[in-house]
C-alpha cells in the first residue's frame, strides 16, 4: 500500500472543497498505471469526505442541508470554540470521514459528474490533512 498526506486550506468559512485533482495525481503516480483502490480519509473529528457534483450548486445545497440538519446554535453539549461548534463533532455521523474510489488504468473511475470533496463546517480549524492511500489490485 502506498500512502501520502496532503494539506488542504479550508479557511474560516464552511466549505465543500474539491480535492479531485490531488486524488487523481496521487492515484496516477501510486498505481503506476495499474488498477486498485484509492482510499481518502480525513483524520479529523469535525470533517468528512463526499463524492458529489461540484460547480452546479450541489456544494451550496449540501452546506444548506447540513445547516438545517445541524444548526450552528447553542443546543450542543460539546460547547467550546465558535458558536455551534458541537455540530462539527456530529458531522462525521452524517458525512463519513472517508471514501473509496476504484482506480482503473491509473485513473479514478468516477462517474461523469462526480468529484471528491472535503466537507468542513468547523470554522475554528482552517487547515486540514487528508490521507490518500492506494491499494493495488
Amino acid at each position: 500500500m502506498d500512502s501520502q498526506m496532503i494539506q488542504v486550506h479550508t479557511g474560516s468559512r464552511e466549505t465543500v472543497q474539491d480535492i479531485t485533482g490531488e486524488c487523481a495525481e496521487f492515484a496516477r503516480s501510486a498505481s503506476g498505471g495499474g488498477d486498485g483502490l484509492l482510499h481518502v480519509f480525513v483524520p479529523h473529528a469535525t470533517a468528512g469526505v463526499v463524492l458529489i457534483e461540484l460547480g452546479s450548486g450541489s456544494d451550496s445545497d449540501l452546506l444548506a442541508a447540513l445547516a438545517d440538519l445541524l444548526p450552528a446554535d447553542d443546543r450542543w453539549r460539546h460547547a467550546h470554540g465558535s458558536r455551534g461548534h458541537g455540530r462539527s463533532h456530529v458531522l462525521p455521523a452524517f458525512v463519513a470521514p472517508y471514501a473509496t474510489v476504484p482506480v482503473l488504468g491509473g485513473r479514478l473511475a468516477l462517474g461523469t459528474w462526480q468529484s471528491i470533496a472535503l466537507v468542513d463546517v468547523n470554522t475554528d480549524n482552517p487547515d486540514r490533512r487528508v490521507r490518500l492511500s492506494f491499494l493495488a489490485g
Side-chain angles (χ1 to χ4, degrees), residues 80-95:
H80 69 81
S82 61
R83 184 171 190 260
H85 177 76
R87 78 186 189 119
S88 299
H89 288 274
V90 177
L91 174 78
F94 295 93
V95 179

Side-chain angles (χ1 to χ4, degrees), residues 10-69:
T10 57
S12 59
R13 294 179 27 191
E14 296 181 7
T15 189
V16 177
Q17 187 154 338
D18 190 0
I19 58 171
T20 310
E22 294 94 327
C23 292
E25 176 56 31
F26 173 76
R28 184 196 60 72
S29 175
S31 71
D35 299 344
L37 294 173
L38 172 69
H39 188 72
V40 182
F41 174 71
V42 56
H44 296 280
T46 58
V49 176
V50 294
L51 301 179
I52 191 170
E53 180 180 4
L54 295 173
S56 64
S58 297
D59 40 351
S60 296
D61 289 341
L62 175 57
L63 290 175
L66 290 171
D68 288 344
L69 183 64

